[in-house]
Structure formats: C-alpha cells, structure tokens
Amino acid sequence: MPGLLHPLHEGHAPIILHNAFQDAIDALEDWELGSEEPQIDVNEKRVPISAVFRRLWTCTDILPARTLAVVEDLLPLRSAEFRIGSSTYADAAHSLWQLSMQKRAATNEIRQ
C-alpha cells in the first residue's frame, strides 16, 4: 500500500490517519463473518482496514478517550492493558490488526 497512506513523522500521524483509524474501527465493528475484509476511503482510494491498523503500529500519539472506549469494547479480554491518557495508537493498532486477521481467517474457513 505504499503511497496510499501517509507516513508517520517521528512517530506522529497526520490527522487523516487518525480519522482513517476511527473509520477502520467502525468498519471492524460492523464486519460480519463470511464477508470480505472491509475497506475504507482514504485520499479517495479504497484501503483494507488491516492496512490502516498496520500503518499505525509505531504511532506514539495518545488515543482519544472516545476511541479508547471503542477499542476496549472490541477487545474486552485485553481492556486492562489500555489506559486513558497513556495508551497510544500503536498499542491499539497491534491488537486491532490481530483481530482483523482472526476475522479474515474465520471468513476464509467459512468459505471453504
């Protein structure tokens, strides 16, 4: 996906990536097993949500509380690992990427 998603600058993401991350979380919440991995619009291009999560693996920006609450809902077994005011996009991105890969694998199993 080079060129589709903006790079980080010294660990910080541009606002367009913050917005894409929120859109990817929303799409992950709505993803029904058996359907293709959701894609979101970023810079007028379709991007798989896993690519958005992967791009933010090294982002040191702090997650907003509203985003953190959604992440905790999606990852209830890992919610104790997240803290308001100190959890980063990278913290959430790793876990959400893993969840998206699990959903992708489950979808592939259903289709076989």
Side-chain angles (χ1 to χ4, degrees):
M1 283 298 128
L4 288 182
L5 296 173
H6 294 279
L8 302 182
H9 179 70
E10 297 180 2
H12 299 291
I15 191 68
I16 195 164
L17 283 182
H18 289 184
N19 293 338
F21 188 81
Q22 186 63 52
D23 291 345
I25 289 173
D26 294 342
L28 180 61
E29 279 187 298
D30 295 338
W31 186 0
E32 294 182 20
L33 287 180
S35 62
E36 293 290 325
E37 177 180 351
Q39 296 187 6
I40 61 168
D41 292 320
V42 180
N43 293 330
E44 300 178 3
K45 302 282 187 197
R46 301 294 289 164
V47 179
I49 62 171
S50 60
V52 175
F53 298 139
R54 182 67 177 93
R55 172 64 77 184
L56 289 160
W57 268 16
T58 58
C59 180
T60 58
D61 297 333
I62 301 299
L63 277 176
R66 64 175 163 64
T67 304
L68 182 58
V70 176
V71 170
E72 289 174 332
D73 288 345
L74 284 169
L75 302 163
L77 299 177
R78 302 199 63 184
S79 64
E81 298 174 21
F82 301 109
R83 300 277 182 265
I84 291 176
S86 64
S87 289
T88 64
Y89 279 86
D91 296 331
H94 282 270
S95 297
L96 293 171
W97 181 84
Q98 289 173 339
L99 179 59
S100 69
M101 293 298 99
Q102 290 168 356
K103 283 191 145 188
R104 184 191 290 177
T107 292
N108 290 339
E109 285 182 29
I110 289 170
R111 290 182 170 182
Q112 291 178 355

